[in-house]
Amino acid sequence: MKQLACVSLFLILLLMFSCKHAAITEINDQGVNISYTDTGSGDTTLLFVHGWCINKGYWSNQVAYFNKKYRVITFDMPGFGASGKNRTDWSTKAYGRDVDSVISQLKLKNVILIGHSMAGDIVLQAAINNPKVIGLVGIDNFKSAGHIENAASKKDFADAIVALKHNFKSVAVPYFKQDLFSKTTSKAVQARVLNDVIHADTTIATASMEQGNDFDELAKLHQLKIKLYLINSDVHPADTTGLIRNKIPYQLLYIHGTGHFPMIEAPAEFNLLLEKVIQNIKNDKY
């Protein structure tokens, strides 16, 4: 009888261990559902945050590569993908709170935040004063950090927002084609990205762009207590003079020839660079 009880206890503990990530089936931020994936295990967690108008599926190559060594989380930012839309605040601060909700509700530890495009500012916001975060990685962003907008650039942005509100597709599609794809970006990748852009919620996409522009990136970088790591395409090189002038600790690695989506354009090369960055972050910590 005692042996049977021991076996039963062992089976229960084994089931609990194997299902430790399955215990939580739903997470939310102030009532807004957040669709996510949670795979792998390890003492370090990689939390991937996608960019504007796309979704968590853009990290599928990274999930398959990294979840053999790390716990890997991806999620759809509210307003995009399969996450909820029941709010009106689409600011960087609100999205940073979404990241905080994922970290706290999934009880993540030793978190490396990886943010693509507009999510660079989002993971920056989430990293500040969060002891669970040990690393911050921007993907094709922070290309002019520390530079102050002039009147002309502010007007150009305001005009772009008006145009997006008037006819989102006619503005967004040419922007992606001209500025975010490179000569090597495959037709399949272009088609995938443009399909997601066309089917995005245009009101939320425009609002997230407009409300995100109020974010004081330089002030937040000064508050950051860890080094900023960047993996950027070399097609449009970053101007790092602002980071240097403001004494922001950073390391920039370039991936050759891709457009704005290196994680799906050149996943093998991208994964090797990210693996290098992860090791550097772990060395920084220890």
Side-chain angles (χ1 to χ4, degrees), residues 47-56 58-59 73-78 80 87 90-100 103 112-128 133 135-143 175-176 180 205 208-209 211-213 215 217 220-221 224 228-232 260-261 263 270:
L47 176 49
F48 291 91
V49 187
H50 67 80
W52 192 58
C53 290
I54 57 176
N55 56 70
K56 65 182 180 294
Y58 280 63
W59 301 113
I73 311 293
T74 71
F75 75 96
D76 287 330
M77 293 196 299
F80 301 98
R87 75 182 189 206
W90 307 108
S91 64
T92 303
K93 184 177 180 179
Y95 278 124
R97 193 181 62 227
D98 295 328
V99 177
D100 290 336
I103 293 172
I112 297 176
L113 295 175
I114 301 143
H116 171 246
S117 191
M118 68 173 274
D121 282 347
I122 292 167
V123 294
L124 169 60
Q125 171 67 35
I128 294 170
V133 177
L136 181 64
V137 187
I139 309 301
D140 212 49
N141 46 28
F142 294 101
K143 291 193 171 185
Y175 165 65
F176 274 76
L180 302 186
S208 65
M209 181 75 75
Q211 294 177 28
N213 196 51
F215 186 73
E217 186 176 86
K220 297 294 183 180
L221 284 168
L224 191 65
L228 173 66
Y229 285 87
L230 301 171
I231 301 176
N232 287 353
H260 189 52
F261 305 89
M263 62 282 199
F270 176 85

Side-chain angles (χ1 to χ4, degrees), residues 146-251:
H147 290 269
I148 300 172
E149 282 189 302
N150 56 35
S153 62
K154 289 180 180 179
K155 182 179 184 305
D156 288 343
F157 181 81
D159 290 345
I161 294 297
V162 170
L164 282 169
K165 290 178 178 179
H166 178 69
N167 192 329
F168 181 89
K169 182 178 176 180
S170 69
V171 176
V173 170
Y175 165 65
F176 274 76
K177 286 182 176 180
Q178 294 167 19
D179 294 340
L180 302 186
F181 299 148
S182 75
K183 293 179 180 179
T184 65
T185 306
S186 71
K187 296 294 185 184
V189 166
Q190 292 186 41
R192 176 184 181 181
V193 173
L194 292 177
N195 181 67
D196 287 329
V197 171
I198 291 168
H199 290 95
D201 184 309
T202 60
T203 300
I204 293 173
T206 303
S208 65
M209 181 75 75
E210 183 174 22
Q211 294 177 28
N213 196 51
D214 294 333
F215 186 73
D216 191 341
E217 186 176 86
L218 181 58
K220 297 294 183 180
L221 284 168
H222 277 300
Q223 294 176 44
L224 191 65
K225 295 180 176 63
I226 53 179
K227 182 186 290 185
L228 173 66
Y229 285 87
L230 301 171
I231 301 176
N232 287 353
S233 167
D234 62 1
V235 171
H236 300 292
D239 182 350
T240 59
T241 57
L243 292 172
I244 295 168
R245 183 174 63 251
N246 286 281
K247 299 180 180 179
I248 305 296
Y250 78 96
Q251 181 178 358

